[in-house]
Amino acid sequence: MARIVRLKVNGRARSDAIPDNRLLVDYLRESLRLTGTKMGCDGGECGACTVLVDGEPQLSCLTLAASVDGAEIETVEGLAVNGRLNALQRAFHEKLGSQCGFCTPGMIMSAEGLLRRKSAPDEADIRAALSGNICRCTGYVKIIEAVDAAAAALRGQPA
Amino acid sequence: MSEALPEFDLARPATVEEAVAARAGAGDARYLAGGTDLVVNMRRGIVAADRLIDLTGIAELDRLDLDGGGTVIGAGVKLAAVAENAEIGARYPAVAEAAAVIAGPQHRKMGTVGGNLCLDTRCVYYNQSEWWRRANDYCLKYRGNVCHVAPGGDRCWAPFSGDLAPALLIHGAEIEIAGADDRRRMALSDLYTDDGADHLTLGDGELVVAVHLPADNWRSAYDKIRVRDSIDFPLAGVAVGLKERATGGPELRIALTGTDSRPVLVDGIAEALADGFDDSTFPAIEKRLKKQVQPMSTTTLNAPYRRTAAAVVAKRLIARLVG
């Protein structure tokens, strides 16, 4: 069965007929062509599919699109403003926080959730916030440096 | 496009009564809360449902009542909310500590108290893809006739691995259950039986709606072992409670998860503590603990290690509480 689901996706109000069994990740990737959100492990173990649901990092591969009716969804595509990367995206680029890049959108959305809650996170905060996201390339050091640099940039301090 | 999940009908009730009514009369219906266990299992093809009843729109399940003497935590309260609640942390430390280390941060924002209490049991022969299980002739828990962990036996040994249950058992929790006709309360320990294929005692269509905790003065703590310090399920989890008494020395409780098909509240601790804490106390407790848990080869770590590690974690927690 399908139903009309109203969502705000990256700031834009939408109203779409969505099958009951469609996962949020499939709705974003297949229906809206927002393919920045990645499907990594297929079972809630890797964090690559992390998006913000009402500002909180959640796993879109375990979320039914119909069950978040009325929610505000943010994906990595929604972070850049007028084509300009946001602080986290820029820091991941400049600090080499991304290698193969597959985990990066999930990492960035988890980090985005953290920076909205806490403007000056310490390393333990960053590690805790990213502990549900797995990276097989970087060894995490550069990712943590990137989040730290983004937080500093947002506070107006030199990285 | 092909869907990742099989077809089902989704109900989105606004009240507990509507949820229970939506379940009644449906063939193979399941309650859906955070989805971090159920949706994974449906994607793996180990749980089938032709109707899901989404509980996320039921306001009653989100109740959190800390005003009275006791505490009521709605079954829909998110694990992250339990972990971050300072009052729960002060009254029932093991409960907040357990909630804080369940899976990863995203799971804790999605997963609920009721979902963690009703978590399916897990096993290396069960939590696998369809082709993997078919190649192994399935198993006793799903479609097969033999438990590959104990082929000579007649039961499933998949362990329960919810973290909240042992912590709540330490504090004497009761659960409130809604059925088609009425509501009832029972001790949390009565929710479980030691059968990995059918470990919950809930009746057909019954829904856990809340956890009731008495006001008490137990100090408590929770810790566990797992392969990675995030995301992974516990290979053994331990909650310990300690209560000072006016006379007769302290009272101690130990409860475990991840070892058996049900959470285990260790018996006979009072006898081990009869003379208070001294050098012989922990060996006596360890003996009882190891005798009462039965981890099997259901995980990637072997069973003797998990039994030994559970005792070590218990010892560390007792040392922390005794100070």
Side-chain angles (χ1 to χ4, degrees):
Chain A
M1 208 178 95
R3 68 184 64 216
I4 301 296
V5 175
R6 288 174 181 79
L7 294 167
K8 191 182 263 191
V9 181
N10 294 334
R12 184 180 155 198
R14 302 195 57 97
S15 178
D16 292 307
I18 302 179
D20 282 351
N21 62 339
R22 182 157 300 171
L23 293 163
L24 181 59
V25 67
D26 290 330
Y27 167 70
L28 293 170
R29 288 180 55 88
E30 308 292 336
S31 303
L32 305 189
R33 301 290 170 193
L34 294 172
T35 53
T37 301
K38 303 300 185 217
M39 179 81 95
C41 68
D42 222 16
E45 297 171 35
C46 77
C49 69
T50 302
V51 298
L52 300 185
V53 178
D54 290 331
E56 301 284 3
Q58 296 196 7
L59 300 169
S60 60
C61 80
L62 299 184
T63 303
L64 297 179
S67 72
V68 288
D69 191 6
E72 180 164 2
I73 311 295
E74 292 171 81
T75 71
V76 72
E77 289 94 340
L79 297 181
V81 180
N82 297 329
R84 189 174 153 75
L85 298 180
N86 88 345
L88 269 167
Q89 292 170 306
R90 206 159 49 246
F92 267 71
H93 175 64
E94 290 172 359
K95 298 287 178 184
L96 306 179
S98 182
Q99 285 186 21
C100 89
F102 202 82
C103 74
T104 308
M107 287 281 179
I108 287 181
M109 296 318 287
S110 285
E112 179 72 20
L114 169 68
L115 296 189
R116 288 187 195 179
R117 288 196 306 276
K118 200 161 194 169
S119 61
D122 60 22
E123 186 181 326
D125 295 327
I126 297 170
R127 284 179 175 273
L130 298 183
S131 63
N133 293 76
I134 290 174
C135 172
R136 297 291 82 160
C137 303
T138 63
Y140 302 99
V141 172
K142 294 291 178 187
I143 291 174
I144 292 161
E145 285 178 10
V147 177
D148 190 42
L154 286 169
R155 295 194 307 271
Q157 295 170 0
Chain B
M1 62 171 285
S2 65
E3 298 290 350
L5 289 167
E7 289 245 349
F8 53 77
D9 155 57
L10 184 72
R12 301 204 68 208
T15 66
V16 168
E17 288 67 32
E18 285 175 24
V20 173
R23 172 99 180 233
D28 209 353
R30 291 270 181 162
Y31 292 121
L32 172 71
T36 55
D37 193 40
L38 180 62
V39 174
V40 180
N41 289 349
M42 289 182 71
R43 295 191 66 172
R44 292 275 180 277
I46 49 183
V47 172
D50 48 31
R51 172 178 288 179
L52 290 189
I53 299 149
D54 179 358
L55 305 174
T56 55
I58 302 177
E60 182 194 334
L61 298 182
D62 294 331
R63 69 189 283 217
L64 189 52
D65 184 357
L66 293 151
D67 296 334
T71 297
V72 185
I73 305 175
V77 173
K78 299 285 194 287
L79 299 170
V82 174
E84 291 161 10
N85 188 293
E87 192 59 32
I88 293 176
R91 293 186 194 183
Y92 314 103
V95 176
E97 287 176 20
V101 293
I102 294 169
Q106 297 99 319
H107 304 89
R108 295 193 289 273
K109 290 286 184 194
M110 302 167 70
T112 64
V113 169
N116 194 254
L117 292 178
C118 297
L119 207 62
D120 197 1
T121 55
R122 300 183 61 79
C123 178
V124 284
Y125 292 97
Y126 175 64
N127 300 94
Q128 299 286 357
S129 62
E130 165 63 22
W131 59 263
W132 193 102
R133 284 176 286 114
R134 189 170 66 227
N136 288 281
D137 282 338
Y138 299 100
C139 75
L140 193 59
K141 185 165 164 66
Y142 183 77
R143 282 187 70 170
N145 299 314
V146 174
C147 172
H148 300 300
V149 170
D154 60 358
R155 58 159 288 191
C156 163
W157 289 91
F160 176 74
S161 53
D163 292 275
L164 285 182
L168 290 167
L169 286 173
I170 291 295
H171 288 283
E174 290 191 335
I175 52 170
E176 183 179 338
I177 297 165
D181 302 318
D182 57 3
R183 295 215 179 184
R184 65 190 177 102
R185 265 170 76 162
M186 68 176 184
L188 173 62
S189 54
D190 293 336
L191 177 61
Y192 305 101
T193 61
D194 199 20
D195 176 356
D198 188 15
H199 69 300
L200 297 177
T201 62
L202 291 173
D204 199 23
E206 283 191 322
L207 173 67
V208 176
V209 295
V211 174
H212 294 256
L213 282 156
D216 66 30
N217 50 357
W218 285 89
R219 291 189 293 126
S220 63
Y222 181 81
D223 200 3
K224 61 179 168 181
I225 53 162
R226 47 184 172 171
V227 174
R228 300 174 296 194
D229 273 346
S230 74
I231 307 177
D232 282 348
F233 283 89
L235 298 165
V238 187
V240 172
L242 184 77
K243 184 162 80 170
E244 305 294 343
R245 291 182 297 188
T247 56
E251 198 178 340
L252 189 69
R253 286 179 182 165
I254 301 173
L256 297 101
T257 189
T259 55
D260 295 66
S261 295
R262 57 168 300 165
V264 177
L265 188 60
V266 181
D267 273 336
I269 301 293
E271 290 81 353
L273 265 178
D275 300 321
F277 279 101
D278 60 31
D279 290 347
S280 69
T281 309
F282 191 75
I285 291 172
E286 183 180 24
K287 197 170 149 192
R288 285 170 170 80
L289 186 157
K290 285 184 169 176
K291 202 169 175 180
Q292 290 175 44
V293 298
Q294 181 76 57
M296 301 286 279
S297 300
T298 54
T299 69
T300 50
L301 286 187
N302 70 47
Y305 173 82
R306 283 157 60 213
R307 178 185 267 129
T308 302
V312 171
V313 174
K315 186 177 184 176
R316 287 180 188 155
L317 293 175
I318 292 168
R320 198 211 301 177
L321 290 174
V322 171

Coordinates of all heavy atoms in Angstrom, one line a residue, chain A residues 88 91-92 95-98 107 111 114-115 121-131 133 135 138-152 159:
Chain A
L88 N 32.0 22.0 7.7 CA 32.4 20.5 7.8 C 32.8 20.0 6.5 O 33.9 19.3 6.4 CB 31.2 19.7 8.3 CG 31.1 19.6 9.8 CD1 29.7 19.0 10.2 CD2 32.2 18.7 10.4
A91 N 36.2 21.4 5.8 CA 37.2 20.8 6.6 C 37.6 19.4 6.2 O 38.8 19.0 6.3 CB 36.8 20.9 8.1
F92 N 36.6 18.6 5.9 CA 36.9 17.2 5.5 C 37.7 17.2 4.2 O 38.6 16.4 4.0 CB 35.6 16.4 5.2 CG 35.1 15.6 6.4 CD1 34.5 16.3 7.5 CD2 35.1 14.3 6.4 CE1 34.0 15.6 8.6 CE2 34.7 13.5 7.5 CZ 34.1 14.2 8.6
K95 N 41.4 18.9 5.4 CA 42.2 18.1 6.3 C 42.3 16.7 5.9 O 42.7 15.8 6.7 CB 41.5 18.2 7.7 CG 41.4 19.6 8.3 CD 42.8 20.0 8.8 CE 42.7 21.4 9.4 NZ 44.1 21.9 9.7
L96 N 41.9 16.3 4.7 CA 42.0 15.0 4.2 C 41.2 14.0 5.0 O 41.6 12.9 5.3 CB 43.4 14.5 4.1 CG 44.3 15.5 3.2 CD1 45.8 14.9 3.2 CD2 43.8 15.6 1.8
G97 N 40.0 14.4 5.5 CA 39.1 13.6 6.3 C 38.4 12.5 5.4 O 37.7 11.7 5.9
S98 N 38.6 12.6 4.1 CA 37.9 11.7 3.2 C 38.9 11.0 2.3 O 39.8 11.7 1.7 CB 36.9 12.5 2.4 OG 36.2 11.7 1.5
M107 N 29.5 10.4 7.9 CA 30.3 11.0 8.9 C 29.9 12.5 9.1 O 29.8 13.0 10.2 CB 31.8 10.9 8.5 CG 32.4 9.6 8.6 SD 32.9 9.2 10.3 CE 33.6 7.5 10.0
A111 N 28.5 14.4 12.4 CA 29.3 15.5 12.9 C 28.4 16.8 12.9 O 28.5 17.6 13.8 CB 30.5 15.7 12.1
L114 N 26.3 16.8 15.9 CA 27.1 17.1 17.0 C 27.3 18.7 17.1 O 27.1 19.3 18.2 CB 28.5 16.4 17.0 CG 29.5 16.9 18.0 CD1 29.1 16.5 19.4 CD2 30.9 16.3 17.7
L115 N 27.8 19.3 16.0 CA 28.1 20.7 16.1 C 26.9 21.6 16.4 O 27.0 22.7 16.9 CB 28.8 21.1 14.8 CG 30.2 20.5 14.6 CD1 30.9 21.1 13.4 CD2 31.1 20.5 15.8
P121 N 33.2 21.0 20.8 CA 33.4 19.7 21.3 C 34.8 19.3 21.5 O 35.7 19.9 20.8 CB 32.8 18.8 20.1 CG 33.0 19.7 18.9 CD 32.9 21.1 19.4
D122 N 35.1 18.5 22.5 CA 36.5 18.0 22.7 C 36.6 16.7 21.9 O 35.7 16.3 21.3 CB 36.9 17.9 24.1 CG 36.1 16.9 24.9 OD1 35.4 16.1 24.2 OD2 36.0 17.0 26.1
E123 N 37.8 16.2 21.9 CA 38.0 15.0 21.1 C 37.1 13.8 21.5 O 36.6 13.1 20.7 CB 39.5 14.5 21.1 CG 39.8 13.4 20.2 CD 41.2 12.9 20.2 OE1 42.1 13.7 20.4 OE2 41.4 11.6 20.0
A124 N 36.9 13.7 22.8 CA 36.0 12.6 23.3 C 34.6 12.8 22.8 O 33.9 11.8 22.4 CB 36.0 12.6 24.8
D125 N 34.1 14.0 22.7 CA 32.8 14.3 22.2 C 32.7 13.9 20.7 O 31.7 13.3 20.3 CB 32.5 15.8 22.3 CG 32.4 16.3 23.7 OD1 31.9 15.5 24.6 OD2 32.7 17.5 23.9
I126 N 33.8 14.3 20.0 CA 33.8 13.9 18.5 C 33.8 12.4 18.3 O 33.0 11.9 17.5 CB 35.0 14.6 17.8 CG1 34.9 16.1 17.9 CG2 35.1 14.2 16.4 CD1 36.1 16.9 17.5
R127 N 34.7 11.8 19.1 CA 34.8 10.3 19.0 C 33.4 9.7 19.3 O 33.0 8.7 18.6 CB 35.8 9.7 19.9 CG 37.2 10.0 19.3 CD 38.3 9.4 20.3 NE 39.6 9.5 19.7 CZ 40.2 8.6 18.9 NH1 39.5 7.5 18.6 NH2 41.4 8.8 18.4
A128 N 32.8 10.1 20.4 CA 31.5 9.6 20.8 C 30.4 9.8 19.7 O 29.7 8.9 19.3 CB 31.0 10.2 22.1
A129 N 30.4 11.0 19.1 CA 29.4 11.3 18.1 C 29.6 10.5 16.9 O 28.6 10.2 16.2 CB 29.4 12.8 17.8
L130 N 30.8 10.2 16.6 CA 31.1 9.4 15.3 C 31.2 7.9 15.6 O 31.6 7.2 14.6 CB 32.4 10.0 14.7 CG 32.4 11.4 14.2 CD1 33.7 11.8 13.6 CD2 31.2 11.7 13.3
S131 N 30.9 7.5 16.8 CA 31.2 6.1 17.1 C 30.2 5.1 16.4 O 30.4 3.9 16.4 CB 31.1 5.8 18.6 OG 29.9 6.1 19.1
N133 N 29.7 5.4 13.1 CA 30.1 5.5 11.7 C 31.4 4.8 11.5 O 32.4 5.1 12.2 CB 30.2 7.0 11.3 CG 28.9 7.7 11.3 OD1 28.4 8.1 12.4 ND2 28.3 7.9 10.2
C135 N 34.7 3.8 9.1 CA 35.5 4.2 8.0 C 36.6 3.1 7.8 O 37.2 2.7 8.8 CB 36.2 5.5 8.2 SG 37.4 5.9 6.9
T138 N 40.6 5.7 6.5 CA 41.4 6.8 7.1 C 42.1 6.5 8.4 O 43.0 7.1 8.8 CB 40.5 8.1 7.4 OG1 39.6 7.7 8.3 CG2 39.9 8.6 6.1
G139 N 41.5 5.5 9.1 CA 42.0 5.3 10.5 C 41.5 6.4 11.5 O 41.9 6.5 12.6
Y140 N 40.6 7.2 11.0 CA 39.8 8.1 11.8 C 40.5 9.4 12.3 O 39.9 10.4 12.6 CB 39.2 7.4 13.1 CG 38.3 6.2 12.7 CD1 38.8 5.0 12.8 CD2 37.0 6.4 12.3 CE1 38.0 3.9 12.5 CE2 36.2 5.4 12.0 CZ 36.7 4.1 12.0 OH 35.9 3.0 11.7
V141 N 41.8 9.4 12.3 CA 42.6 10.5 12.8 C 42.2 11.8 12.1 O 41.9 12.8 12.6 CB 44.1 10.3 12.8 CG1 44.9 11.5 13.2 CG2 44.4 9.1 13.7
K142 N 42.3 11.7 10.7 CA 42.0 12.9 9.9 C 40.5 13.3 10.0 O 40.2 14.5 9.8 CB 42.4 12.6 8.4 CG 43.9 12.4 8.3 CD 44.6 13.7 8.5 CE 46.1 13.5 8.4 NZ 46.8 14.8 8.7
I143 N 39.7 12.3 10.2 CA 38.2 12.7 10.3 C 38.0 13.5 11.6 O 37.3 14.5 11.6 CB 37.4 11.4 10.4 CG1 37.4 10.7 9.0 CG2 36.0 11.7 10.8 CD1 36.7 9.4 8.9
I144 N 38.6 13.1 12.7 CA 38.5 13.8 14.0 C 39.1 15.2 13.8 O 38.5 16.2 14.3 CB 39.1 13.0 15.1 CG1 38.3 11.7 15.3 CG2 39.2 13.8 16.4 CD1 39.0 10.6 16.1
E145 N 40.2 15.3 13.2 CA 40.9 16.6 13.0 C 40.0 17.5 12.1 O 39.9 18.7 12.4 CB 42.2 16.4 12.3 CG 43.3 15.9 13.2 CD 44.6 15.7 12.4 OE1 44.8 16.2 11.2 OE2 45.5 15.1 13.0
A146 N 39.3 16.9 11.2 CA 38.4 17.7 10.3 C 37.2 18.3 11.1 O 36.9 19.4 10.9 CB 37.9 16.8 9.1
V147 N 36.6 17.4 11.9 CA 35.5 17.9 12.7 C 35.9 19.0 13.7 O 35.3 20.0 13.9 CB 34.8 16.8 13.5 CG1 33.7 17.3 14.3 CG2 34.3 15.7 12.5
D148 N 37.1 18.8 14.3 CA 37.7 19.8 15.2 C 37.9 21.1 14.5 O 37.6 22.2 15.0 CB 39.0 19.2 15.8 CG 39.5 20.1 16.9 OD1 38.6 20.5 17.8 OD2 40.7 20.3 17.0
A149 N 38.5 21.0 13.3 CA 38.8 22.2 12.5 C 37.5 22.9 12.1 O 37.4 24.2 12.1 CB 39.6 21.9 11.2
A150 N 36.5 22.2 11.7 CA 35.2 22.8 11.4 C 34.6 23.5 12.5 O 34.0 24.6 12.4 CB 34.2 21.7 10.8
A151 N 34.6 22.9 13.7 CA 34.1 23.5 14.9 C 34.8 24.8 15.2 O 34.2 25.8 15.5 CB 34.2 22.5 16.1
A152 N 36.1 24.8 15.1 CA 36.9 26.0 15.3 C 36.6 27.1 14.3 O 36.4 28.3 14.6 CB 38.4 25.7 15.2
A159 N 41.9 27.4 12.5 CA 42.1 25.9 12.7 C 43.5 25.6 13.1 O 44.4 26.3 12.7 CB 41.6 25.2 11.5

